[in-house]
């Protein structure tokens, strides 16, 4: 029995020595090697990171929003893969290199504003403010072609050649011709063109009519496309861009005559204000009212979205008089 206890005590000592040795070995390995992620793109290791989530969030944010300046967004066909590994402690993490490599593998899209004459793109400027300034300068100079000049946001995989405000104004300006003698002015003739659920009207100020009521702005945002002719057809309303989910208020009180899906308009609301006056709201992400419901001015009727024929979240607003689309900017904005 005594011999058995002696052997048992030796075995326990041996086990303790082995455990201590293993702990020491693991400690040495821990200091020599550390866990991290090898980042692979198309099967090739492009770098290492110990902050997988932060790096992935940074890549996703840049893909969606670009650099906040010239690049609007980036399309990346193949996303990086992350594989956990144990590397020597002297191996450096290089998130910036990984980020630059992933972004460089994609296609950047640049945002410009196209200045158009009779719907044809003529010049490009960098910002919305420059496009607005061009319109304002030409209107102030009373350029005779002002009603034919519009602008629209444009996304392109190529960096377009930009012009200065002064150069565009100088190129597009048409000086009014003085009347050699007094003339008797008559009301202009108006031609109408059927298009979808409403009619487009041409003539002075794009068919302006006094509607006998005051309209409130449905949303606050950036005007990205105005009313008028385009190379692709007729733009019957005013586009105001803002974030998805922004509440849309009724421009005036009235009865909802349509609330639902309407082809290229996407989720669509029409409000009848009486006396042949209607307002229409397109590309909504959600609808809060139904046909037959009465709404008051400013009441929330829908949410901004990008449904139907749309390239980004915005409200397409139409003002109709007896079924004929008018320029919304004659009444609001």
């Amino acid at each position: 029995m005594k011999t058995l206890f002696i052997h048992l005590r030796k075995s326990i000592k041996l086990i303790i020595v082995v455990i201590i040795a293993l702990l020491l070995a693991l400690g040495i390995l821990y200091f020599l090697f550390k866990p991290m992620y090898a980042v692979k793109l198309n099967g090739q290791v492009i770098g290492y990171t110990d902050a997988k989530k932060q790096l992935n969030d940074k890549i996703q944010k840049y893909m969606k929003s670009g650099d906040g300046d010239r690049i609007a967004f980036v399309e990346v066909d193949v996303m990086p893969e992350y594989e956990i590994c144990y590397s020597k402690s002297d191996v450096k993490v290089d998130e910036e290199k990984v980020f630059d490599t992933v972004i460089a593998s994609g296609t950047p899209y640049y945002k410009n504003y196209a200045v158009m004459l009779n719907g044809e793109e003529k010049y490009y400027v960098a910002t919305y403010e420059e496009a607005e300034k061009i319109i304002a300068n030409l209107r102030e100079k009373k350029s005779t072609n002002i009603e034919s000049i519009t602008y629209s946001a444009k996304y392109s995989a190529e960096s377009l050649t930009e012009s200065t405000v002064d150069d565009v104004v100088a190129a597009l300006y048409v000086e009014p011709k003085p009347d050699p003698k007094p003339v008797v002015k008559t009301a202009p003739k108006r031609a109408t063109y059927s298009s979808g659920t409403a009619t487009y009207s041409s003539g002075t100020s794009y068919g302006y009519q006094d509607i006998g009521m005051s309209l409130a702005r449905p949303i606050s945002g950036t005007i990205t496309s105005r009313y008028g002719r385009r190379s692709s057809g007729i733009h019957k309303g005013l586009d105001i861009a803002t974030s998805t989910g922004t509440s849309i208020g009724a421009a005036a009180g009235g009865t909802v005559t349509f609330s639902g899906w309407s082809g290229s308009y996407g989720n669509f609301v029409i409000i009848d204000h009486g006396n042949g006056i209607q307002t229409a709201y397109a590309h909504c992400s959600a609808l809060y009212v139904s046909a037959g419901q009465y709404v008051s001015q400013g009441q929330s009727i829908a949410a901004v979205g990008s449904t139907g024929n749309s390239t980004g979240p915005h409200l397409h607003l139409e003002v109709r008089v007896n079924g004929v689309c008018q320029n919304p900017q004659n009444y609001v904005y």
Side-chain angles (χ1 to χ4, degrees), residues 76-139:
V76 176
D77 294 331
V78 180
M79 293 298 294
E81 298 176 344
Y82 300 87
E83 184 178 292
I84 193 165
C85 63
Y86 291 87
S87 301
K88 291 183 178 180
S89 57
D90 60 352
V91 173
K92 295 182 180 179
V93 295
D94 41 13
E95 281 96 348
E96 287 300 323
K97 175 187 173 184
V98 172
F99 174 81
D100 292 341
T101 303
V102 173
I103 294 303
S105 72
T107 302
Y109 281 80
Y110 302 89
K111 183 177 181 180
N112 296 89
Y113 285 83
V115 182
M116 298 174 285
L117 177 64
N118 293 319
E120 181 182 354
E121 296 179 4
K122 292 292 188 181
Y123 303 96
Y124 303 98
V125 293
T127 66
Y128 159 80
E129 289 77 15
E130 288 178 307
E132 277 286 297
K133 190 173 182 180
I134 289 168
I135 298 294
N137 286 357
L138 289 170
R139 193 178 298 279

Side-chain angles (χ1 to χ4, degrees), residues 8 13 20 31 53 92 100 147 152 161 171 179-180 221 241 260 274-275 296 324-325 332-333:
L8 181 60
K13 288 182 178 179
I20 293 173
F31 284 106
K53 184 179 185 304
K92 295 182 180 179
D100 292 341
E147 297 298 345
S152 180
T161 301
D179 293 330
N275 297 320
S296 57
V324 179
C325 286
V332 66
Y333 292 99

Side-chain angles (χ1 to χ4, degrees), residues 204-215:
T204 302
S205 298
Y206 288 113
Y208 170 77
Q209 295 185 35
D210 183 5
I211 61 176
M213 68 171 62
S214 177
L215 300 182

Side-chain angles (χ1 to χ4, degrees), residues 20 22 57 65 68 74 81 85 88 97 114 124 143 154 183 186 220 229 234 236 263 293 296 305 325 332:
I20 293 173
L22 286 173
D57 288 348
S65 305
V74 178
E81 298 176 344
C85 63
K88 291 183 178 180
K97 175 187 173 184
Y124 303 98
S143 181
K154 182 179 180 66
V183 296
T186 59
S220 296
R229 291 186 176 277
I234 298 166
K236 299 181 291 182
Q293 179 179 345
S296 57
C325 286
V332 66

